[in-house]
Amino acid sequence: MDPRCLTNSLNDQERQTFEEKGYLLVPKALSPGDVTRLIGLVDRLGIERADEVEPDGRLHLRDFLREDDLFMDLLDWPRTFPKVWGILGWHLQLYLSHIDITPPLPVDQHRTVTLGWHQDSGRVNLEMETDPRPRLSIKVGYFLTDTTEPGCGNFWVIPGSHLKNKLDRPTDGISNPQGAIPICVPPGSAVIFDRRLWHSRSPNHSDRTRKAVFYGYSYRWLRPRDNLRIEDYEDCRDPIRRQLLGAVRDGHGYSSPEPEDVPLRAWLDEHQGTNSGP
Ligand SMILES: O=C(O)CCC(=O)C(=O)O
């Protein structure tokens, strides 16, 4: 793994922000050159998989990591991955990845309905009985286009809502819940968020298409949502990436890992000079 990871560890202030707000902004997570390359890839996939377009024009693409080395590089990206292990520890996998392309909405389709507020992971939120429910996973969203102003298809969040199992929704069916804010960031920014944070996509009323890429990391015992499995990544020989993509000795290794199941742990022990914990 790229040793530059070691210079981007989660610091105390970032941890506090993440714990309190349920998300963390990472400015300049991608260089302008990375952004340009990723936009090229996203545009190409958008054309190749145009048949997946949704009725509102949006494209939600999954299972794309094999398409380019840069997508594979984002798995353990030095600007963000150290924050991911700083929050979840070494017992990690990638459980989901998606590209979200939100084109401008024609003026005659501008609607005033409330956003699609949700916590991630579907039935997890119905079937786990604790209050608050456990974190289990986090996502890194990379924003490739300019969303510094509201109304550009911004990612919306309710800061601090990750500890609330239920969302108080205004009864008019239009307004956003109290405290909701758009994330306004320039291209190349990343947002790391707790899956329990109430969040939503939003319509794009600007004249440029919004493009974002999301990588979700969870503990290794959670079933992945991506359809690709380690067998689909024959060329990937890097041990830590193989861990992230689901490589395992046998079924027991998902919850009682041996060292060969979790090379990230040994890497952290060696490079951070500390024991990485139980
Ligand atoms: O595309 C967006 O801004 C929102 C993505 C989202 O809702 C999610 O990752 O769960």
Side-chain angles (χ1 to χ4, degrees), residues 159-209:
S161 62
H162 56 304
L163 301 180
K164 294 194 173 139
N165 280 2
K166 283 213 171 88
L167 183 65
D168 288 331
R169 297 169 192 264
T171 50
D172 63 6
I174 298 172
S175 322
N176 281 316
Q178 206 179 3
I181 56 164
I183 296 289
C184 293
V185 286
S189 311
V191 177
I192 302 178
F193 61 100
D194 188 313
R195 68 157 198 94
R196 302 168 298 176
L197 184 74
W198 290 89
H199 61 277
S200 178
R201 63 189 169 100
S202 68
N204 183 358
H205 299 316
S206 76
D207 57 6
R208 56 185 183 273
T209 297

Side-chain angles (χ1 to χ4, degrees), residues 92-94 220 224 229-231 233 240-249 254 261:
L92 284 178
Q93 65 174 358
L94 183 89
R220 291 174 61 259
R229 294 287 176 271
I230 187 62
E231 299 75 31
Y233 296 97
I240 292 175
R241 289 188 182 178
R242 289 182 61 75
Q243 169 185 329
L244 296 175
L245 294 169
V248 73
R249 210 174 9 113
Y254 288 119
D261 295 318

